[in-house]
Amino acid sequence: MTTGIQSKLPEVGTTIFTTMSALANEHKAINLGQGFPDYDMPEELMSLVNKAMHDGFNQYVPMQGYLPLREAISQKVSGLYNASVNPDTDITITPGGTYAIYTALTTVLKPGDEVIVFQPCYDSYIPNIVLNGATPVFVDLSYPDYRIDWKQVKNKITPHTRMIMLNSPHIQPAQFYIRKTCNNWLRLYKTLPYLFSAMKFTNISFLMKYHTKAYCVFPS
């Protein structure tokens, strides 16, 4: 006799990324929903990886990540943003961005907490919030400009609000939030324990004036 596995997230269905990728394949369209590389791995990078393996760099690393990599990231943050980040206490390496999101939320969220989320959003946000016993509190971003209604955000804040999740550009509608938005956030940040920001586009150059620096530089 076998028993079925009961999902912890019964309301999570097929994600929008899976749906859009299937449609792109069906219609032979350019897939803007997921970043599938359409080029081969650089030969130099493959050679360096191969050399590292032969040189013995194939063992487990500390839980927070390989120290020379953490030190390099600390130096990069310092050079880009003039911000001091301790590689021993402030940086954790994860195997991918979605894993980093889960790690960050699991670190700070507790049952009963509330998290303000701007919709539409990356599809792993809500499941990770729910798995940690917290409740997502939604602020809708409306077509065509997807601007943040900061009065609505302020009205959503309660004594249970633990975190607000904010990206620039916002992952789904690809909206850029300029310094005025950052200033609105700064008016609220003292009332919120945490700001979560998945700044995956900080090393991409955009041919427009609205891209801001990573949120780690705020408040200045």
Side-chain angles (χ1 to χ4, degrees):
M1 179 178 178
T2 60
T3 58
I5 297 176
Q6 185 175 0
S7 173
K8 293 182 179 180
L9 299 166
E11 297 180 1
V12 175
T14 302
T15 71
I16 188 60
F17 293 102
T18 300
T19 300
M20 296 307 295
S21 293
L23 286 172
N25 291 333
E26 178 184 351
H27 298 284
K28 309 301 181 185
I30 297 175
N31 188 355
L32 300 180
Q34 286 185 271
F36 294 112
D38 58 357
Y39 49 84
D40 294 331
M41 183 75 69
E43 287 290 339
E44 181 181 10
L45 179 57
M46 290 191 289
S47 297
L48 289 172
V49 171
N50 185 55
K51 181 178 184 302
M53 296 292 287
H54 282 290
D55 289 347
F57 293 97
N58 54 3
Q59 300 297 318
Y60 288 114
V61 297
M63 184 179 296
Q64 64 269 42
Y66 186 48
L67 179 57
L69 177 57
R70 287 184 278 129
E71 291 174 337
I73 293 173
S74 176
Q75 293 172 6
K76 181 176 182 178
V77 171
S78 176
L80 286 175
Y81 309 121
N82 194 30
S84 178
V85 180
N86 189 319
D88 291 322
T89 59
D90 300 335
I91 297 175
T92 299
I93 309 298
T94 65
T98 300
Y99 198 109
I101 293 169
Y102 176 80
T103 301
L105 297 186
T106 302
T107 299
V108 301
L109 294 182
K110 305 185 302 296
D113 287 341
E114 295 177 353
V115 181
I116 294 178
V117 181
F118 299 104
Q119 284 204 124
C121 63
Y122 181 43
D123 57 8
S124 79
Y125 284 2
I126 308 307
N128 286 331
I129 292 170
V130 174
L131 281 175
N132 284 287
T135 300
V137 177
F138 299 111
V139 174
D140 292 333
L141 304 176
S142 300
Y143 176 85
D145 55 12
Y146 298 98
R147 294 184 184 276
I148 295 175
D149 183 345
W150 285 98
K151 289 184 179 179
Q152 184 182 4
V153 174
K154 187 176 181 180
N155 290 335
K156 298 277 188 177
I157 295 175
T158 75
H160 300 287
T161 304
R162 182 75 166 171
M163 176 186 293
I164 183 171
M165 303 182 78
L166 179 64
N167 303 313
S168 180
H170 194 68
I171 293 176
Q172 291 293 65
Q175 172 63 283
F176 290 85
Y177 297 124
I178 56 177
R179 185 169 293 274
K180 181 179 179 181
T181 294
C182 297
N183 290 336
N184 281 314
W185 154 250
L186 290 177
R187 296 188 185 100
L188 297 176
Y189 88 95
K190 290 184 179 180
T191 66
L192 298 171
Y194 294 100
L195 166 68
F196 174 91
S197 183
M199 301 299 288
K200 62 182 292 186
F201 299 105
T202 54
N203 289 80
I204 300 177
S205 297
F206 295 94
L207 299 179
M208 55 179 66
K209 62 182 179 180
Y210 298 115
H211 188 49
T212 63
K213 294 180 180 180
Y215 283 101
C216 66
V217 303
F218 299 105
S220 59

